Amino acid sequence: MMKEGALLIGLLNPFPNRDQVADYAKRKLVALSMELVPRISRAQAMDALSSQSNLAGYKAVIDAASAFGRVFPMMMTAAGTVAPAKVLVLGAGVAGLQAIATARRLGAVVSAFDVRPAVKQEVESLGASFVEVEAEEEAATAGGYAKEMSEDYKRRQSEAIHQALVKSDVVVTTALIPGRPAPLLITAAMVADMKPGSVIVDMAVESGGNCELSEYGATVEKHGVTILGPANLPASLAAATSGLYARNLLNVLGLMIDQENGALEVPWDDEIIAGMLLTRDGAVVHPRLRPEA
């Protein structure tokens, strides 16, 4: 229904929707994906993935606390002491760091794992302990995202996560690799070894899931463990996430609108616009989405 040559800007999820990207080109739309905003300082106010992930990380912990049959903080009463919940966060990107901060605010004892050693300081600055697995290879892309690791690293990673899981009461998984299925971090056998009554919130379920037993859009119980697979978690905080997303879009439009006459003038050579651009002049132009890629 869009007219040829129209400018389309949005969360377009291009990598799993390559046929739709091809249709943008066929319709001669100029399509810009908000998921592809470069991770540079100048673009931070346009980074929709970060704004949405930040609130999603918060909500994941709130949902976990609701599903957990006990309390998060230590409570000392005349009738005895209630031990604090032990929370494990897998992935220390924007969502993971917010999950850590929220769990700490609720009084939990928190630990976190990430393939990128560089985030250790950020994790510890929030009061969590870092589950470390030594790697001889670089664990992050140039854009700061986690990347696929070697099989040897994955084996050692699995062992470290398994050991941390059996000690945990609540687990929040946030690990994603852009353009690829979510890495499997928690197997069915690991879930079987967890404490009865434990809770897992799989924030990566829309991309295949970090937990083998999670189900998209459903809450299930396996081996005595409650596993949440929330669909579109940011939508459960619609007022806040919509407000932040609107600001992200407004800042992108600020690059394109002439401040004096209000005319639309897309700066094609701007690195932010170039990084977001999917289709133009009837062709797929993003290097990772071209037919030969």
Side-chain angles (χ1 to χ4, degrees):
M1 295 174 66
M2 296 182 69
K3 66 180 182 180
E4 287 190 1
L7 179 62
L8 172 64
I9 308 171
L11 288 164
L12 305 179
N13 201 15
F15 294 111
N17 294 309
R18 291 172 181 258
D19 289 345
Q20 188 163 307
V21 173
D23 285 342
Y24 299 154
K26 185 177 180 181
R27 191 63 182 166
K28 297 183 179 178
L29 302 181
V30 176
L32 299 169
S33 175
M34 292 295 287
E35 289 96 337
L36 299 177
V37 170
R39 285 287 180 90
I40 58 175
S41 297
R42 191 167 67 87
Q44 286 182 348
M46 309 168 204
D47 189 350
L49 286 184
S50 290
S51 71
Q52 304 303 288
S53 295
N54 191 44
L55 287 168
Y58 160 83
K59 188 60 163 58
V61 173
I62 299 302
D63 289 350
S66 178
F68 187 48
R70 286 164 279 167
V71 298
F72 268 36
M74 174 184 284
M75 291 188 177
M76 302 180 70
T77 73
T81 299
V82 178
K86 294 180 179 178
V87 175
L88 173 65
V89 178
L90 300 180
V94 174
L97 291 173
Q98 182 57 247
I100 292 168
T102 303
R104 288 287 296 137
R105 285 195 290 267
L106 290 176
V109 175
V110 184
S111 58
F113 167 81
D114 196 288
V115 298
R116 300 163 297 168
V119 303
K120 178 180 179 180
Q121 186 174 356
E122 294 179 79
V123 167
E124 293 179 341
S125 72
L126 293 171
S129 59
F130 189 66
V131 179
E132 196 161 5
V133 178
E134 292 187 7
E136 297 179 357
E137 57 195 299
E138 181 57 50
T141 65
Y145 294 100
K147 72 172 190 179
E148 190 83 14
M149 302 295 282
S150 68
E151 291 304 317
D152 177 65
Y153 179 87
K154 288 179 182 179
R155 178 185 56 76
R156 289 183 286 114
Q157 167 190 282
S158 181
E159 291 172 356
I161 289 174
H162 194 167
Q163 292 174 13
L165 282 172
V166 298
K167 302 174 186 176
S168 301
D169 299 302
V170 171
V171 181
V172 177
T173 75
T174 72
L176 290 169
I177 300 173
R180 305 192 65 171
L184 178 62
L185 302 178
I186 304 176
T187 65
M190 292 181 187
V191 174
D193 284 344
M194 292 178 68
K195 303 175 188 176
S198 298
V199 174
I200 297 172
V201 181
D202 190 347
M203 291 183 63
V205 70
E206 293 186 57
S207 296
N210 295 143
C211 176
E212 185 177 6
L213 299 179
S214 60
E215 297 181 14
Y216 178 70
T219 296
V220 297
E221 185 174 319
K222 304 287 186 179
H223 305 294
V225 177
T226 301
I227 305 172
L228 285 67
N232 194 4
L233 196 53
S236 62
L237 295 171
T241 49
S242 296
L244 293 182
Y245 183 50
R247 279 287 174 187
N248 296 143
L249 289 171
L250 181 63
N251 289 320
V252 170
L253 289 173
L255 296 175
M256 307 178 183
I257 305 298
D258 188 289
Q259 299 302 312
E260 294 183 3
N261 59 27
L264 179 66
E265 297 179 0
V266 181
W268 301 112
D269 58 347
D270 186 287
E271 64 179 318
I272 297 174
I273 299 299
M276 298 172 63
L277 190 61
L278 298 178
T279 60
R280 183 186 179 194
D281 298 329
V284 177
V285 297
H286 194 280
R288 292 179 62 188
L289 290 161
R290 290 184 189 131
E292 65 274 12

